[in-house]
Amino acid sequence: MTGRFAFRFMKGSLTQKLKQMASPVANPRHYCSSSSSSSAKPKLSQSSRKERLLAGAAIGVVGGAYASTLDKETFSGWLFTATKALNPMFALLDPEVAHRLAISAAARGWVPREQRPDQQILGLEVWGRRFSNPIGLAAGFDKNAEAVEGLLGLGFGFVEVGSVTPIPQEGNPKPRMFRLRNEGALINRCGFNGEGIVAVAERLDTQNGKRKPEKTSTSSNDEVKHGQGILGVNIGKNKTSEDAAADYVQGVHALSQYADYLVINVSSPNTPGLRKLQGRNQLKDLVQKVKAARDEMEWGKVGPPPLLVKIAPDLSKQDLEDIAVVALDLHLDGLIISNTTISRPEAVESNPVSEEGGGLSGKPLFNLSNDILKDMYILTKGKIPLVGCGGVSSGEDAYKKIRAGATLVQLYTAFAYGGPALIPQIKAELAGCLERDGFKSMYDAIGADCR
């Protein structure tokens, strides 16, 4: 797909491509298919001259890289390396504008597509689904499921979309995203801005509905193709809703048929009252209702999608114990640890931007989220798959999450700063860490620091 765009550029179609950046993505292609969509091309709204120049530079890099080789794996490596040149240009844009542009580029296939197979040591099976690698993209990046194919094609083992609310909402006033570049961090107070479950469900349905999970232990790792990875759907509640459980149930009914796993997000700091749902009684009641809604739907041989809960890093020991009890008693399929923090670690205190309200993500969150991860692995006795999220920016960071108890790992902020080139780098570094310490598989390393 990327090659086709490169050749078109070299034939003189740059002007046409730039014009397509004029309005927002409406109907991206099915993320499990490389075939062309018959619908109108997706567009970005109110494109600035700076954005257009950036888009032109991106296509130019693609064209030059493709001209250098016809070998698809070598070409793939060229493309990922070439994207590093674009990061400084994205840094010139407002954070939310840069994010919007990245989503548009991924939706069109104007991003590299990983053609190199993942190393076998990185493969694992979770919830009966085959992951070619444990590195995933956290919720919040592709809120409206606009660019799933392009993002999975980058080589992520899984991509999580959302958070999706029942009713569309604008979120909090702008500006609401702030860079702390020197600290490798972001602060956001977006507040579940998004198009709502109807629009997201229609988009996923247009993309040919429920994708089939990867084959399990009967398939070899080499058979897993990028762009056909695992899709998670993260569900939230509306800011003005008085019945949180009803919001999550609506999300389950509308979106679970498209998901390889579902997430109940009760931990964003930017929706008033949301974190109170992490209390023992509140969480138990919510999970019971959501599970009942999921289980009453008709499912085939694969069964219903696994149900996870995403928790905050700003929890007391008692809070963690209560969540662990609920998770074990109700047989939750997993926990994501963790969301952004409302605290301001010492590493960011001297930065004036740290005074902005909202959730902090990135490198300063790493130790806090890792401590919570270890605690929860011990409290759940390693019986529940945990997804480690918070501050991952290298393969060594991902490895530490895994040793702390994570079965899978997610990132967001580091990807926003590092771009596509970071993904193959993290995977290669992670494989090196596993081999360095004598682990034969991912399974052997999970929770190694808690034994």
Side-chain angles (χ1 to χ4, degrees), residues 140-343:
F141 192 86
D142 189 4
K143 294 176 182 290
N144 298 304
E146 299 172 76
V148 180
E149 179 188 3
L151 294 171
L152 281 171
L154 291 172
F156 284 108
F158 62 110
V159 166
E160 187 175 312
V161 300
S163 294
V164 187
T165 57
I167 301 171
Q169 56 184 30
E170 292 293 328
N172 295 320
K174 299 178 182 180
R176 55 194 180 187
M177 294 181 69
F178 308 91
R179 295 187 182 105
L180 295 84
R181 181 168 294 278
N182 291 339
E183 294 81 6
L186 291 171
I187 292 174
N188 94 81
R189 50 171 181 263
C190 292
F192 287 169
N193 55 306
E195 299 176 13
I197 58 175
V198 173
V200 172
E202 288 178 351
R203 180 171 290 124
L204 292 175
D205 191 59
T206 300
Q207 296 167 4
N208 286 337
K210 176 85 170 76
R211 65 171 304 284
K212 295 180 180 180
E214 299 297 342
K215 294 180 181 179
T216 56
S217 57
T218 59
S219 64
S220 70
N221 189 62
D222 289 343
E223 292 173 347
V224 178
K225 297 180 179 179
H226 295 294
Q228 297 193 8
I230 303 299
L231 174 66
V233 176
N234 185 301
I235 301 170
K237 69 175 286 290
N238 281 110
K239 181 177 181 179
T240 58
S241 176
E242 296 182 1
D243 188 344
D247 278 15
Y248 290 101
V249 167
Q250 284 187 62
V252 167
H253 285 156
L255 301 171
S256 59
Q257 62 183 308
Y258 308 111
D260 288 317
Y261 70 88
L262 287 168
V263 182
I264 303 173
N265 187 352
V266 291
S267 51
S268 170
N270 302 315
T271 297
L274 185 70
R275 288 190 168 192
K276 293 180 180 179
L277 297 174
Q278 295 174 113
R280 183 168 181 170
N281 293 331
Q282 296 94 324
L283 185 61
K284 182 177 181 179
D285 179 66
L286 177 61
V287 171
Q288 286 177 327
K289 290 178 179 178
V290 172
K291 282 191 71 175
R294 179 199 64 175
D295 294 344
E296 72 184 8
M297 299 175 69
E298 294 185 6
W299 299 103
K301 292 181 180 180
V302 175
L307 184 64
L308 289 70
V309 170
K310 186 169 186 174
I311 67 174
D314 311 305
L315 295 169
S316 67
K317 290 288 186 181
Q318 186 60 56
D319 293 331
L320 295 177
E321 291 175 6
D322 289 343
I323 291 171
V325 168
V326 172
L328 291 169
D329 286 352
L330 298 184
H331 304 290
L332 264 178
D333 296 297
L335 293 165
I336 300 180
I337 304 167
S338 65
N339 213 316
T340 58
T341 179
I342 57 174
S343 69

